[in-house]
Structures are given as C-alpha cells and as structure tokens.
Amino acid sequence: MDQPLLELKDICYSYHSLEGETIALSHISFQIQKGEFTAIVGPSGCGKSTLLSIIAGLIAPESGEIIFHGDSPPQAAQQPCTLTPSCPRIGYMLQHDHLFEWRTIYQNVILGLEINHMLTPERLGRVTQLLKDYDLYKFRDKKPGELSGGMKQRAALIRTLVLEPELLLLDEPFSALDYQTRLSVSSDICSIIRSTGKTALLITHDLSEAISLAGRILVLSKRPATVKCDIPVRLTLTDDSPLASRNAPEFKDYFNQLWKEISDENHRQPEFSGKI
Amino acid sequence: MKTTDSLSFQEKYERDHRRHHRMVLLARTFILIIFLLLWEGSTRMGYVDSFFFSSPSQVLMCFLGMVKDYSFFTNTGITLLETIASFLLVLLISMLSATLLWHSQKCSEILEPYLVVLNSLPKSALAPLFIVWLGTGINTIIVAGISVAVFGSVINLYTGFRQADEEKIKLIYTLGGNKRDAFFKVVLPGSVPTILSNMKVNIGLALVGVIIGEFLAARRGLGYLIIYGSQVFRLNMVITSVIILCVIAMGLYEGIQMLERCYQNRL
C-alpha cells in the first residue's frame, strides 16, 4: 500500500478554563490516502472543527503525532488558544466564505498569494484561469456583496486552490447556504476537487451530503471524540456526480447505517466532561 | 409637463424625497433668520442690552474690522493650525497605542485602569500643569488639545480593533499568515468605519482642548480673543470669535464627513 498522504496517530486535545478541563479529542488515529475524499460526521460539539484546526497546524495537539507525506510538519506553538500559521501544503475552507467586503473578488482570491509573497505572473495567470473556469471572471471587479452565496463560496474555494494545497480541509463549507444553493454548490465544488485531483477532508452535519460526496466516511463519537467507525462508500452508479449519487440503491442503506451510529452516540451519556 | 397622476411611483418617490430635503433646509434657514431678527430687534428696541449681548449688526461690524486689520486671519489661522496639529497627533498616538494594545493582551490588561482613569479626568485640570512644564506658547496648546482627545480615542480604537471578526483572522492563519497579516489585512481595514467615527469625535475634542489651552497660555488665537474680550468687556469680539469657532467646528466636521463619504462610495 502507498504511503498515506496524512496520518494521525493518537491525537488528544483538551480545552482548559477555570471551570476545569474539557477533553475534546481522545486518541484519534486514521490515515488518508492521496486523492481520497473523506467525510467526517459526528454529533454536534464533538470536536470535528478542533480536529481540522489541528490537522491544519493552527493549534497543537496535547499529544499524538501528525505525519504529512511521511514527515511531521512543524508543530504549532504550544500555547492554548493561540493560532499559528497553517501548513502551506494544506488548504482550509471555513463554514462561511469570509470574503472581505472591502476587497474586490479578484483581490479576495489573491489574498493567500499576497500573504505568502507569491504574486508571480504564472500564479496570477492561474488565478485568471480559475476565475474563468468557474464563471467568476466577469465578476472579478465586483465586491462580495454583489454576488450570490454560491458564487461567493466558489470564490472562497479558488482563494484556497490558488495556493495549490495537497490536502483540502472543508469545515462545513456549505452549511451557511440555503438548501437549493447548497446542493448545486456542493456538487460544483466536488467536481472542482475531483477534476483537480485534490485530497479532501470534509466535515459535515448532513449525512446525505457525506454519502453523496465522499468515498469514505469517518464517524466520530460524542465528546471526548474517538473514531467510532470507518465506512467506505461504494455506490453502483455510472454517473458519480453528487446529485446523481443520491439516487443510488445503496444510498438509503448507508444513510440508515450512519443515522444509527450517530443516534446511538446522541443517546449515550458523555463519558467525561468537567473538572479533574 | 407631467400631471401628478401621470407620474410613476419612482418619480413620485423622488419628488417627495426632494421636497422633504428642501423643507428641512428651509426650516433650518428660517430658524436662523428668525433668531437673528429677534436678536437684532430686541437690542435695537432696548429689550436687551447690546453692551452685554451684542447684536448681529455689531458682530458683523466687528468681523469686518477683524478682516480689515488681519486679526481674523492670524487668530483663526493659529487656532486652526493648533487644532489640526493636535488632531493629527491624536490620530497617530492613538493608532499606535491601540495597535500595541491589540498586539499584546497582557499589555492591554495592565494599562486598562490607567486609560480609564485618564479618560475620565477633566483635562482642563491638567492645563495649568502643562503651562508649568512647557511654558506658554503653541506647544502647550497643542498638548492641551491632545490631552482632551487622546485617551478616549485610544480606548475607542482598541475596542474597535478587538471587535474584528475572529473567523476572518482565523482565515488569515489558514492561508499561512501571521499576526501581522491579521492586523494589516483584517483588523485595520475592518476598523476604518470605527477610525472615521473616532476622527469625527476627535476633531471636536481637539478644538475644545486648543481653546482651553489658548484661554490659559496664548497671546494669539480665538481662545485668546474670547478671554481677552471678556476681560476688557469687548463682548462683540467675544461673540464674533464664538461664531467663527462654530463655523470652524462645522467645517472640520464636514471635512471628515467628506472623507467618510469617499470611503463609503469606494465600498
């Protein structure tokens, strides 16, 4: 088997306050192969976003190891609640597009290049190409307020893609959109990710979205989160677009299986949360 | 010409909008004219003593006299210069201080009570100290102007910086940026409305501080004319100077508002 793109070994993380310690993640281990589209689902507040922040290198785990391409990236500062710059090989898409309203779409899209001092003619040419490919070129001088939710989310994806990350972390990027836009945007973004051959890790609350987009689903338990089960998704369809996937005969079985795993978790009392 | 019935809803809306603005402008002018007429009339008819209360015609004569002997230009010029210098220094000091406080949470926690106390202190109480420390002259007056506005300005700007969107700051880190990038790409551009509204308050406060300074430590300027006029009972000079001050305050405020409009149009 090939060397995994990303490997997490025994990742643990706790939040600290004067009220006590809250264990968010407990001994999380899994691997992600290159080109894989993996979804992570789990009960609300189980620590999914914390896990993504750790993978991105924004916060440091209390223990455990993250191995990227066989070597450990520089660890984030060991200071609670202190963000550190993300690993450049990892792209991160947040829940909202967070386009800056004082910048045009073009200026928003090149933000990452500006920060990383990578404003070369080749890269800017690639920005223009991406804007053309995803139907945003004629809106490049508009402010974000003039675009629809779906267009803004596409611009946010381009902002992440221009840095050419090897791994894309998607932290519920469609949750702020209405249902109709969400279906079409998730479909668009999935095809963009597939066409660019990126490895992606998606966090979502929407089980249907996870089944239709991902090739593999990790279910996290209630806090303190551990990997409860790892479900490979195999749908027998010739058209593997996310919208068509929802009509696959296996779709319902996967949905029921995931639903059972999540509802079991919701009925379980938290193992521990409080002062130690 | 279109009749009322043939106007579209949009045209009706625009017509009503224009009418409303005309009415507001007319009412404002009307109030001013009535006030001036009542003032002039009551002094001419002897209801009010013009020695103490002056009158619009005497104020006009005094103003023309000041223009003729150039005292209007020298005194207004010096007050304006001191006010703008104080204002710009307040802006610079408060921006630098608020940036430092934003950068260091520890520093802001340590300095917070000092800032609150200094902001609450009546700054006119400090003016005599400035005279002892710096002597009389333009420096003392500029420092007096700064002292009135600077502490409140630091607190307001720092509060504005702290309210920057945490998620946008996180985005900067996800793109590989650091705290400096977060400040220059998110905090500072996102705080422009706060900075502009803070500037509107500061320009007025700087003028207040400069006038306090001129009361105590000047031989030129509108504040000096006011205090000198009151001491020698030349109340025409006092009231003329106060009216010039009103116009200056309005002009400076309007200048900042124009800046704000320019910024809003760019958005």
Side-chain angles (χ1 to χ4, degrees):
Chain A
M1 199 173 174
D2 288 345
Q3 187 185 53
L5 179 76
L6 176 78
E7 185 175 6
L8 270 71
K9 281 186 182 170
D10 268 338
I11 297 293
C12 297
Y13 189 82
S14 306
Y15 286 104
H16 300 273
S17 72
L18 290 176
E19 279 73 46
E21 183 184 39
T22 308
I23 304 169
L25 306 175
S26 170
H27 303 284
I28 301 250
S29 300
F30 61 84
Q31 293 182 347
I32 290 181
Q33 300 298 326
K34 193 170 184 316
E36 222 176 17
F37 196 130
T38 310
I40 296 181
V41 296
S44 292
C46 74
K48 300 187 289 289
S49 294
T50 306
L51 182 63
L52 241 53
S53 293
I54 289 173
I55 295 172
L58 297 175
I59 50 174
E62 284 187 337
S63 65
E65 208 180 345
I66 298 167
I67 300 166
F68 196 78
H69 259 323
D71 59 292
S72 302
Q75 285 288 293
Q78 290 287 352
Q79 284 175 327
C81 309
T82 306
L83 292 176
T84 52
S86 172
C87 171
R89 292 179 295 177
I90 297 175
Y92 197 128
M93 256 186 99
L94 298 160
Q95 281 179 13
H96 296 267
D97 55 75
H98 293 302
L99 295 175
F100 298 169
E101 52 272 24
W102 53 86
R103 284 176 164 244
T104 62
I105 292 301
Y106 184 77
Q107 289 167 335
N108 266 292
V109 164
I110 61 165
L111 181 65
L113 295 178
E114 248 177 62
I115 288 172
N116 292 287
H117 309 288
M118 286 157 60
L119 289 167
T120 57
E122 300 84 62
R123 300 240 177 214
L124 292 177
R126 185 169 147 70
V127 169
T128 307
Q129 193 53 51
L130 282 168
L131 285 169
K132 280 179 182 162
D133 289 350
Y134 305 125
D135 300 328
L136 287 172
Y137 187 69
K138 59 180 175 201
F139 301 101
R140 66 193 183 284
D141 295 324
K142 300 266 183 225
K143 291 284 165 70
E146 299 171 72
L147 268 63
S148 70
M151 289 161 106
K152 285 196 270 191
Q153 207 55 276
R154 282 209 303 273
L157 180 69
I158 296 174
R159 181 179 59 197
T160 313
L161 288 179
V162 291
L163 290 172
E164 296 182 356
E166 289 175 67
L167 173 64
L168 265 176
L169 304 176
L170 310 166
D171 189 355
E172 295 187 59
F174 318 117
S175 61
L177 304 171
D178 62 82
Y179 188 68
Q180 229 175 338
T181 317
R182 186 181 178 143
L183 282 181
S184 66
V185 172
S186 62
S187 179
D188 280 358
I189 285 185
C190 180
S191 56
I192 293 170
I193 291 168
R194 281 181 189 167
S195 65
T196 49
K198 299 284 176 206
T199 312
L201 186 57
L202 167 78
I203 278 183
T204 180
H205 275 111
D206 187 335
L207 302 184
S208 308
E209 191 173 88
I211 302 164
S212 61
L213 296 177
R216 177 186 168 204
I217 300 171
L218 296 172
V219 182
L220 291 192
S221 67
K222 210 166 181 172
R223 207 169 56 207
T226 53
V227 178
K228 197 180 172 208
C229 57
D230 186 342
I231 306 169
V233 181
R234 302 278 176 270
L235 300 175
T236 48
L237 271 175
T238 44
D239 178 3
D240 65 345
S241 71
L243 275 174
S245 306
R246 291 174 187 249
N247 297 320
E250 304 85 356
F251 190 89
K252 202 175 144 200
D253 299 332
Y254 281 123
F255 188 92
N256 289 337
Q257 187 186 353
L258 282 172
W259 178 248
K260 189 176 174 306
E261 297 289 355
I262 302 264
S263 36
D264 283 353
E265 278 307 308
N266 283 334
H267 293 121
R268 185 171 67 84
Q269 291 298 313
E271 280 175 24
F272 180 77
S273 170
K275 201 155 190 155
I276 56 169
Chain B
M1 194 178 153
K2 281 185 178 181
T3 62
T4 314
D5 291 340
S6 67
L7 289 176
S8 70
F9 284 112
Q10 176 61 25
E11 286 169 327
K12 272 183 191 161
Y13 171 81
E14 284 174 13
R15 184 199 59 194
D16 291 347
H17 185 75
R18 279 195 299 273
R19 247 185 218 170
H20 171 78
H21 274 270
R22 263 204 307 272
M23 202 278 287
V24 168
L25 196 69
L26 266 173
R28 283 176 185 168
T29 320
F30 182 71
I31 289 171
L32 183 68
I33 291 170
I34 289 290
F35 171 74
L36 291 175
L37 285 175
L38 279 175
W39 187 10
E40 184 69 35
S42 53
T43 47
R44 280 182 192 245
M45 284 190 263
Y47 296 128
V48 170
D49 190 343
S50 66
F51 179 76
F52 292 112
F53 292 95
S54 189
S55 71
S57 57
Q58 286 179 16
V59 167
L60 187 67
M61 293 310 291
C62 179
F63 175 72
L64 291 174
M66 282 169 76
V67 171
K68 214 174 268 178
D69 65 10
Y70 296 108
S71 62
F72 164 75
F73 300 105
T74 48
N75 290 299
T76 308
I78 194 80
T79 302
L80 252 177
L81 178 78
E82 287 160 350
T83 307
I84 291 170
S86 305
F87 168 74
L88 292 177
L89 284 167
V90 166
L91 188 64
L92 182 73
I93 296 168
S94 50
M95 285 290 284
L96 290 175
S97 311
T99 307
L100 178 77
L101 295 177
W102 177 84
H103 184 75
S104 164
Q105 174 81 23
K106 211 175 271 177
C107 187
S108 73
E109 276 182 45
I110 293 167
L111 294 179
E112 194 194 352
Y114 295 103
L115 279 171
V116 171
V117 167
L118 286 169
N119 187 40
S120 318
L121 188 77
K123 305 318 172 295
S124 49
L126 296 175
L129 283 175
F130 295 146
I131 296 169
V132 174
W133 294 336
L134 302 165
T136 56
I138 194 166
N139 291 346
T140 310
I141 294 159
I142 290 174
V143 170
I146 293 171
S147 72
V148 171
V150 77
F151 303 111
S153 177
V154 172
I155 293 172
N156 285 340
L157 286 182
Y158 170 60
T159 311
F161 287 177
R162 284 291 305 276
Q163 283 166 352
D165 189 340
E166 285 296 326
E167 284 291 298
K168 283 196 170 94
I169 291 176
K170 186 178 176 184
L171 170 81
I172 294 290
Y173 282 93
T174 67
L175 294 170
N178 53 26
K179 202 164 183 176
R180 187 175 172 277
D181 294 312
F183 183 76
F184 285 106
K185 307 273 185 218
V186 177
V187 177
L188 202 55
S191 301
V192 171
T194 311
I195 295 168
L196 285 169
S197 70
N198 193 49
M199 280 163 76
K200 279 203 262 185
V201 176
N202 286 347
I203 195 77
L205 288 177
L207 189 57
V208 170
V210 162
I211 296 300
I212 292 173
E214 285 182 347
F215 279 177
L216 299 168
R219 286 284 166 270
R220 280 181 305 172
L222 293 169
Y224 166 72
L225 287 187
I226 291 169
I227 210 79
Y228 171 74
S230 69
Q231 281 164 353
V232 297
F233 279 92
R234 284 176 64 186
L235 295 162
N236 288 336
M237 181 195 274
V238 176
I239 291 173
T240 308
S241 304
V242 170
I243 291 170
I244 295 169
L245 266 181
C246 285
V247 175
I248 288 179
M250 226 167 71
L252 291 171
Y253 185 85
E254 196 53 42
I256 309 247
Q257 226 169 12
M258 268 169 65
L259 208 68
E260 195 173 26
R261 277 198 290 270
C262 281
Y263 169 74
Q264 280 165 351
N265 288 342
R266 275 193 60 200
L267 275 186

